[in-house]
Amino acid sequence: MTGTSISRYLEQVQERPRRSWWALARRRFLRNRVAILAALYLVAMYLVALLAPVVAPYDPNEGDILYIHARPSREHLLGTDENGRDVLSRLIYGARISMSVGLIAMVISIAIGSLIGGVSGYAGRVVDSVLMRVTDGMMAIPYFFLVLIVVAVFGSSFRNIVLVIGVTSWMVVARIVRSEVLRTRELDFVLAARALGASSTRILLRHILPHAVPSIIVAATLGVANAILLESALSYLGLGIQPPQASWGNMLSNSQAYLWENPLLPLYPGLLILLTVLAYNFLGDALRDALDPQYREGQL
Amino acid sequence: MAAYVVRRLLQAVVLLFIVSVLTFLLIHSAPGGPALLANPDLSREQIEQMREQLGLDDPLPVQYLRWLGNVVQGDFGSSYNTVQPVTRLIAERLPNTVMLTGLALVLSIAIAVPLGVLSALKRNSALDRIIAGFSFIGVSIPVFWLGIMLIIVFAVQLKVLPAGGMYTLGAEFSLVDRLEHLLLPTLVLVVANLAELTRYTRSGMINVLSEDYIRTARAKGLPNRVVLTRHALRNALIPVITIIGVLLPRAVSGAAITETVFSWPGMGRLAVEAAMTRDYPVVLGATLTVALVVVLSSLVTDLLYAYIDPRIRLG
């Protein structure tokens, strides 16, 4: 390249509007229409959950014995259940459980996963192999049995369910953070930080962990989807949220006793679980495309 | 190969040791000890006596080693509820779970591999997108809800299939009856496993198709069909074998929930019922047995992988 062409190239580069990495990611994300639809659906569901007392037409736990297993009508848009309770109102209150369990459990699993993955990757040697063997051990037990043990020992309350799901689902995040730490730990900017006298904790938190954020966001979104599925499964089995408090999972297990009288009853809660989990999975997939352009279809 | 087998076997033993420590610690962190002792009718002396009998006052490592010694000899203790040996309860239920999960896995592979290959060959076509869409639904659908919906359609409305159980009570054994009871739970599990397997086959195939030897095969003039079946598919299937090992813990979890929906007398239902009544020896035994089966299966798939693909055992 001659001197003039270099300067012309530099001019061109400077003319281009400067976009940060996150702005580029946002552009990639906004091109995905399915993902935007999923995000809008989730926002709507969180609003409904938040405003449940305002939105719900009836008290979710108050039954009307004149309307038992009523078909959908103008008074009860989705009908009533075996105690004459309004199904729509129970679904709206149930949303509070599903929508919040997923989020809180995800925060817990990311905190644990980042800690274990970070320490494991940064400390190396014995600490690393012990922590990774424990991670393998946790992954070898089918998660459902692990959750069963914890619920059996500590009982089932909202707090316990959230804790259990968080404490048993950090392994993927730990793996991601660890591999990111291993990748960046020997890079020049980390050496520079160390040369300037930064402590290990500071290097880990300020210099290494930020590089793992995109992968963590993706894992977190998919993690919420799994947490919602797991909570609904536990509640369905009678080991989760206990009736009369409504959750989509325990509404399903109630409805199974009345399949012959009211076959429509199990349709709604299941459909809501499916849509919500689907939305989170679409969102996670779109975020991966947006945040991790190197991730190509061919890769595992 | 021998060195690889030994290394992999040692890993499996260490893994099982960690699993046993984890489950043991979890159970023994129960506030107030086993629910057995929470009985208000017991006097203080009786509780003391039972604690001594059960060895609950010994240090935790001592308790763990004693328990491990029994487990290694196949003794998980007795159920708090029925007083039957846990080993016998498990022996009754395990074959039923293996049958259901095994059948579902075989069928899933038989369906997922052609779908994945098709998807990879017609990348970004309408067909590929439809398959991807169904995969998304497959990973998002709650298995128990799918089960209930199938019961409503086939048992309640159409009345062509049973709503649950493993056989018609009081009837003579017949293969048709068995298959009828297997059909719906198997279908649910196939849907649950299909998505992941299809995705892995698809990406395995796409990876292989970009390899140099595929270009070589095409360049020397082999017909497309031969390139795909002889050169591509064979190598694409190798990673699919290991995925089965990865998928197994999740498949077993799905089976446990499905068993409850269809009242299938397997390990999952045993564990769920035991968890509800805080029957610790049964929960512990069931979990360890399932973990053992899972670890052994993934050991077998890994060894198979290393046997087929020398790059693994040498790398």
Side-chain angles (χ1 to χ4, degrees), chain B residues 121 205 218 221-233:
Chain B
L121 291 181
M205 193 73 181
R218 283 192 208 280
L222 288 181
N224 197 30
R225 188 175 47 82
V226 177
V227 174
L228 292 182
T229 51
R230 285 256 188 88
H231 295 252
L233 185 57

Side-chain angles (χ1 to χ4, degrees), chain A residues 177-223:
Chain A
V177 172
R178 175 176 174 270
S179 68
E180 200 63 31
V181 172
L182 288 179
R183 194 176 67 80
T184 44
R185 143 181 110 158
E186 303 300 334
L187 293 182
D188 286 344
F189 67 89
V190 174
L191 287 180
R194 192 172 301 147
L196 287 171
S199 67
S200 291
T201 321
R202 189 185 160 84
I203 291 178
L204 200 55
L205 287 179
R206 294 294 299 269
H207 298 280
I208 293 183
L209 219 49
H211 290 272
V213 166
S215 331
I216 292 180
I217 291 178
V218 174
T221 315
L222 301 175

